[in-house]
Structure formats: structure tokens, C-alpha cells
Amino acid sequence: MRVDRRGFLAGAVALTMPAQARAATQRVTLATKMKAPRWAVMQRQLLDANAAACSAFYAKYVDGRDRLRVFERWGANDGPDDAAEATNDWFLLHALGGDDRIRDLASRFWEGHLQQFAAAKTVDVPIARDGMYHREFPVQMDWQHNAEGLTSFNVMGLSMPGNARLQERNRRFADFYTGRDPTVANYDPVRRMMRSLLNGSRGPMLREATPLDWAGDPFDPAPFHMEHGETSYQQTLDHYAEYGDVIGDNPLNLQATTLGLNAYALGGGDHYRAWALDYLGAWAERAAKNDDILPSHVRPDGSVGKDWWKGVYGWGFSPKVPQTGERENRNRVPRSITAFMGAVVMSGDMGFIDLWRRQTARINDASRSIKGTLSAPTMYGAKGWYGWKPGAYRTNGFEIWYMSQRAEDRAAAGDHPWLDFLEGRNPAYPETALAADLARIDARVKLREEDTTTPETRLADWPIGINPASVASLVQTMTGGLHIARPPWSKSSPPQGGVPLHCRLRYFDPVSRRAGVPEDIAALIHRITADSTEVTLVNLNLGAAYRLVIRGGAYGEHRIDAVTVDGRTICVGGRDVDVALDPGCGARLVLKMTRYALSPTLAFPWT
């Protein structure tokens, strides 16, 4: 798929003109009194509860140098990527309207952990003997784990797009993969492919990987909680006994295109978007030539052959679990859909989602009766399809529907109480979801208070399960967005880290000059369709007026064509709308929108 971006770029011309040539942002004033809805009060309570709990978490698990208090190791189980995840969702929390202190703590931790794991070195694992980070990036790992470690980094731009260090890092990290950095040969621009599943700031691994490369240096696991249940170091090695096939490209590498998206959206230049779309387009072409199935293995010469299903984390990857001796299916190809979602943000081209719909159809075409039940496969190997599960194949169904908003995709999205609310069947959902996140914070606080581990007896993945940041209900209710994370939030969604925010609306405080709703403001998205969004805004303060800016999409990619409120329609024709809320006032707004019509940016509305 060679992407023609001319039409898309033309649609953004008005937004790249000098300020004096653009139409002024339209102002909407809400002056009708509104009794404070319970969901609005709970939303503000949740923002405050998150801030308090995160501060207490930081005090316990991060030291005075802003480094994580853990036993430092290299490895896919419990390495630097897990350490980086300790403050997952803190930047997102701030971008929604959370306290500035959460952004500041998350920023401090990011800097501290970079120093921590640049200094941490292996003895036996060759690639990390001079540091687990080089040039502030993992030296060499797969993009399941690289992406997880970038979960915070990939959303920093929502809160601090003007930060020069963030801008430079995004460009530098992206250029590890664009081919523009001559010191790192991860990407082959001629063949439009990554050269290995294992890659990073020290380049690709171009040999068979060993269990040591994946598991890290020898250690005694007895004092630690081991995620996979290992009881000896040998079992950690055995977990990776079949992880050697890493040479060539793998769809997990597509997660690197998020760096291109953010580098572009932070003002780095169109070559970042051009690279990301060309690389994603190459994979779309490979799928089209492979009976509409995205292959999991591209050979070093750039070809896709009869072994298209091979590779670590591929369609045929079912390694043996050392503790049980049984094989476990670990196909991670479905996770790469999020990179194609990013392609739609960058291009406006729904063809990047169409290929996933066609793939689902091909897999369902292979369904057959298993013990009297029609079942669909989830894996493919030398003997054909396997990994049968009852019913239709629906993996990624929610993401396909969310992006397309096509009626024919709705069934594959499955059932979810949030969808029931958006479709008018579950009016209590916002309060139920917000209450669940408040309870989640309480549970995480209790875990922290009862935690008896020490830095010598906890691995880097341990604090992840205690991190109190709880934002799923806020993302849904405030932005109409997807909180794609681990564990998965819907039955058809794979668990994933490092995914940028995909949403209908986000908000800015033009007075405080920051991202997120102002203090005392709450927002609830009631309904989304292919061309409209309905949102209630309310000012809970009876004595003060506020202003906020509504933006279409996380990256301003959705054009707001018009706003209707109290029977009055105002033409907009841009990515932002300025709203003034009088004391104690609110209203329900209907926004007419053209989705994915504008070039993505993370710049604040007033810059």
C-alpha cells in the first residue's frame, strides 16, 4: 500500500497557514443552570483520589534520586521496560485534568529511571554489558516489551508538547528506526523492513537469540514474585528455549511507528510520518499478497514465503511451558493493529483498518465444527490452522468498529457495558465505572500499605500491580476514547502497552495554559457515531466561571464542523472549540464531526 497523502494534506492546509490567515476559534457560552450530576462529582473525586494515591506510591517505591527501588535486572520478564511502567497512566491522568504534581512526579521518574538503567549493566548478557539503556533507549529488545516500556513516553506529548527535551528524544528514538541515524541499522529502507525482532539503540540482533539474551544474567528467583511461576533460574531460561528465531521482520516491530507519529505531531517534520506510513504500507501489501493474512515473518531478503507463519510471537508460535511441559499459544500478531490505527490518524486512510476486517473474514472462513461446536482458529503452523476456540473469531473486533464506526462491524465488537451506555441501554454506566475505579484505587492503596517487600526482594514488574493510577473510566466518559493497556479492557482486545490515546474529544485549560479540563469542570460523552459526538459539560463551581477548549481527537485529527447547543448551531470548521461556562452552568452539546480529516498535532491550541 503506497499511501497518497495529497488529499489528506490539502484538508489540513488551513491549519498550517499563518495565524492571521486562519478563522478564529469559535466561542460557545453555557449559561443555563445545571444541578451537579452525580457522575460529575464522582469524576472530580476520581481525579483527586488518583493524585493523592500516586503521590503516596511515589514516596514508597521511588528513591531520592527518582530511581525505582527494585532489584535491577535485564530481561523480558522483569527488565527495564517493567521499571518504566511503574508510573503508567500518570501522564494520561494529567492530560485529562489531574493535578500538575502527577505530571511533575512522572517526569522526574522518567529521568531517574533513564539514569538508573543506563548505569545498570549485565555480566553475562553481551548486549547490555555497557548499560541496559544506551542513548536513553533499550539497547536491544522486542517490540512487545519496548512498547510496554514506552507506555508513559508515548503519551507525554499530550501534557508537555512544548518540552524541547521531549521533542528531541522523540526524533532521536524515531531515527533509530527510520534509517536516518547512520549508527543504528535496525531498518532496511530498500526492503522496507526491520532486520530483526530484537532491536534497539545498539542495532538489530542478526544471529539466533539464546535463552540468556531473553532471560538475563543468572540469579536466584526464590526471594521474588515470578510472573510466570518459575522456581529456578533454569526455568527462566527454559521459558525462552524456543525464542531463537528473531532474524527478519515481525509485525510487532510496527509499534515503532508510534515514534514516527509523535515525532511528526511534535513538529519534527513530515519525513517521520512519511516513513511510518510507508513502512505500514509495506506490511499492508504483504498481507494483500498473503491471502489477506498479515504474515508474522519476513525473510532477511524482504520476501514472504510459505513460512510466513514462523517467528517468535508469530502465528505458529506455541512454545513449551517448562513448569507443565504443555505448549502455550503466544501469537502476538493481533497487537499490531494499534500501529495501523496510528496510520489512520496520520493519513485518514481507512484502508489500514480494512485489511484487518479482511483478515478476520479469512480466519472465520477457516472455521469448522469441533465436538459439534463451530469454532474459529487463532493460530497457523506447518499443518495449517489450529488453536480452535468456540464461536467466531472476533479478536480486534472492538478496535475495528471503533475506527470504522460501520454498522456491519458492530457485532464483532462484542458486548461491553460502555457500549450499552453509548447506545442508550445502560444509563447507570458512568457512575458504575467511576465507582469501580475509585474502588480500584482503594485496593491498590491497601496493597501498598500491606506490601512487605524490600528493594532486595522485589523485581521491576512488582510495583506495576500496585500503581494506583486508574483512568479507564475517565478515558471513556470524558473523551469517548479507548484505554488500550494491560490487562485488556474488552473481550476482543489483546493486552498491550505503549499505545497512544485514541479518542473523540480532549480538553485544554486556556487560562492555566495546560492540558485537561479546568478545576471544577466535568465532561461526559453520551453518544458517538461516524459523524457526531454528544457531550455534557458542567461547571460544579457556583461562584466562578471557567473556560475550556474542546479538541477533536487526541491529535486534533477530527474536524469539528459545527456545534449545536440549546437549539442553536454554530459553524466551526476546525479542530478546536472555545467554551465558556458560567458558574453552576452546563449543557449537552452535539458536535458534528468529520473524523480523521486533519493532520495530527500535539501542539496546544494557543501555540
Side-chain angles (χ1 to χ4, degrees):
M1 178 187 288
R2 295 282 185 177
V3 179
D4 181 359
R5 299 184 304 280
R6 289 173 295 178
F8 182 71
L9 292 172
V13 165
L15 291 154
T16 58
M17 292 179 180
Q20 63 268 25
R22 301 182 214 155
T25 301
Q26 293 295 325
R27 169 75 63 86
V28 176
T29 299
L30 306 186
T32 302
K33 294 295 183 182
M34 176 182 285
K35 182 180 178 181
R38 178 165 169 72
W39 61 260
V41 175
M42 294 178 70
Q43 209 173 75
R44 297 306 316 185
Q45 289 174 341
L46 182 54
L47 287 167
D48 292 342
N50 268 297
C54 288
S55 293
F57 172 93
Y58 200 92
K60 178 163 184 172
Y61 293 104
V62 182
D63 68 18
R65 298 177 298 169
D66 298 312
R67 300 183 180 192
L68 196 63
R69 300 175 188 266
V70 294
F71 183 77
E72 297 161 359
R73 293 196 71 249
W74 169 263
N77 274 6
D78 46 44
D81 66 293
D82 292 305
E85 291 188 86
T87 57
N88 277 359
D89 290 330
W90 291 27
F91 282 105
L92 187 54
L93 175 64
H94 178 266
L96 293 168
D99 193 278
D100 283 342
R101 177 164 170 74
I102 299 306
R103 176 202 58 201
D104 296 343
L105 288 175
S107 297
R108 283 171 45 188
F109 174 71
W110 184 260
E111 300 300 325
H113 110 280
L114 290 179
Q115 297 175 20
Q116 180 177 7
F117 287 93
K121 301 176 181 180
T122 58
V123 175
D124 292 8
V125 178
I127 196 65
R129 285 173 180 158
D130 291 326
M132 299 177 190
Y133 280 175
H134 173 61
R135 299 174 67 190
E136 303 182 319
F137 197 85
V139 290
Q140 196 177 77
M141 188 50 70
D142 69 282
W143 268 92
Q144 173 179 314
H145 296 93
N146 282 343
E148 289 170 358
L150 292 171
T151 298
S152 288
F153 183 78
N154 285 345
V155 294
M156 283 184 194
L158 297 173
S159 283
M160 40 196 282
N163 185 284
R165 180 179 288 182
L166 174 64
Q167 294 171 359
E168 188 278 327
R169 279 179 179 149
N170 260 282
R171 295 192 299 269
R172 174 164 26 105
F173 294 175
D175 282 336
F176 291 154
Y177 296 95
T178 63
R180 291 168 62 90
D181 186 333
T183 69
V184 184
N186 290 312
Y187 187 66
D188 182 337
V190 175
R191 296 181 174 88
R192 301 160 73 199
M193 63 175 287
M194 300 290 183
R195 302 174 69 201
S196 175
L197 172 68
L198 294 180
N199 53 69
S201 57
R202 291 198 182 276
M205 177 175 285
L206 299 178
R207 59 168 172 81
E208 183 174 324
T210 68
L212 176 67
D213 294 319
W214 288 93
D217 286 357
F219 78 116
D220 179 8
F224 305 103
H225 166 79
M226 299 297 292
E227 181 179 0
H228 300 295
E230 300 94 338
T231 58
S232 67
Y233 174 67
Q234 185 60 49
Q235 285 187 347
T236 68
L237 290 174
D238 292 344
H239 180 90
Y240 296 105
E242 299 176 57
Y243 277 61
D245 187 8
V246 300
I247 301 174
D249 208 351
N250 181 297
L252 279 176
N253 285 328
L254 287 164
Q255 301 302 332
T257 59
T258 298
L259 296 172
L261 165 61
N262 282 337
Y264 171 78
L266 289 168
D270 190 61
H271 55 271
Y272 289 107
R273 178 167 61 173
W275 163 76
L277 290 174
D278 188 59
Y279 180 42
L280 283 152
W283 275 96
E285 292 166 14
R286 291 165 187 144
K289 295 176 182 178
N290 194 49
D291 196 27
D292 291 325
I293 302 294
L294 197 71
S296 58
H297 177 61
V298 178
R299 296 167 175 169
D301 64 1
S303 65
V304 175
K306 293 182 179 180
D307 59 351
W308 61 267
W309 48 269
K310 285 188 173 181
V312 174
Y313 294 135
W315 285 101
F317 190 60
S318 301
K320 186 178 292 186
V321 178
Q323 294 92 319
T324 65
E326 297 180 358
R327 293 199 172 273
E328 180 178 270
N329 296 335
R330 296 179 191 158
N331 175 12
R332 303 292 190 255
V333 174
R335 298 189 181 198
S336 60
I337 191 174
T338 56
F340 290 86
M341 293 165 68
V344 176
V345 173
M346 287 184 276
S347 69
D349 186 352
M350 279 294 170
F352 287 108
I353 297 301
D354 293 341
L355 75 89
W356 288 86
R357 185 185 299 105
R358 292 193 297 271
Q359 176 173 278
T360 296
R362 293 292 181 272
I363 294 172
N364 280 319
D365 286 345
S367 296
R368 69 187 191 194
S369 180
I370 305 291
K371 296 181 179 180
T373 300
L374 188 65
S375 302
T378 59
M379 307 289 293
Y380 191 97
K383 297 181 180 180
W385 292 106
Y386 69 103
W388 305 93
K389 292 186 178 181
Y393 181 84
R394 290 184 174 180
T395 302
N396 300 130
F398 203 112
E399 289 76 18
I400 293 170
W401 169 80
Y402 184 84
M403 299 297 289
S404 77
Q405 291 292 290
R406 287 168 50 169
E408 57 266 39
D409 291 332
R410 174 61 184 86
D415 298 323
H416 193 281
W418 179 44
L419 276 183
D420 290 339
F421 167 70
L422 292 174
E423 294 171 349
R425 296 187 300 275
N426 186 359
Y429 177 72
E431 294 176 17
T432 301
L434 292 163
D437 271 347
L438 284 165
R440 183 179 185 272
I441 292 175
D442 289 342
R444 293 294 176 100
V445 168
K446 184 177 181 182
L447 286 174
R448 186 198 77 235
E449 292 173 344
E450 296 177 351
D451 182 15
T452 59
T453 64
T454 67
E456 292 73 32
T457 62
R458 70 172 79 108
L459 296 173
D461 59 356
W462 178 254
I464 297 174
I466 302 175
N467 172 18
S470 300
V471 301
S473 65
L474 295 172
V475 171
Q476 291 172 353
T477 60
M478 296 178 72
T479 76
L482 303 182
H483 182 238
I484 301 174
R486 298 187 299 153
W489 68 277
S490 85
K491 296 176 183 178
S492 67
S493 302
Q496 185 115 7
V499 182
L501 178 62
H502 292 272
C503 67
R504 279 304 180 90
L505 303 177
R506 61 179 296 221
Y507 311 93
F508 301 88
D509 182 341
V511 176
S512 298
R513 299 279 176 164
R514 55 154 289 174
V517 293
E519 185 180 6
D520 299 322
I521 302 299
L524 175 62
I525 290 183
H526 301 267
R527 187 169 182 263
I528 59 175
T529 70
D531 61 0
S532 68
T533 302
E534 297 184 23
V535 59
T536 291
L537 299 175
V538 59
N539 179 1
L540 300 178
N541 193 314
L542 300 180
Y546 286 98
R547 282 180 56 208
L548 82 157
V549 175
I550 301 175
R551 171 163 287 181
Y555 291 85
E557 69 273 23
H558 304 322
R559 187 178 67 233
I560 301 173
D561 298 316
V563 178
T564 299
V565 58
D566 294 332
R568 177 170 169 250
T569 298
I570 302 168
C571 293
V572 180
R575 58 175 105 239
D576 300 323
V577 176
D578 196 328
V579 180
L581 293 100
D582 287 350
C585 292
R588 184 160 172 163
L589 290 71
V590 179
L591 284 71
K592 191 73 173 177
M593 308 181 77
T594 303
R595 297 181 306 126
Y596 307 110
L598 300 177
S599 183
T601 181
L602 286 168
F604 284 155
W606 46 86
T607 56

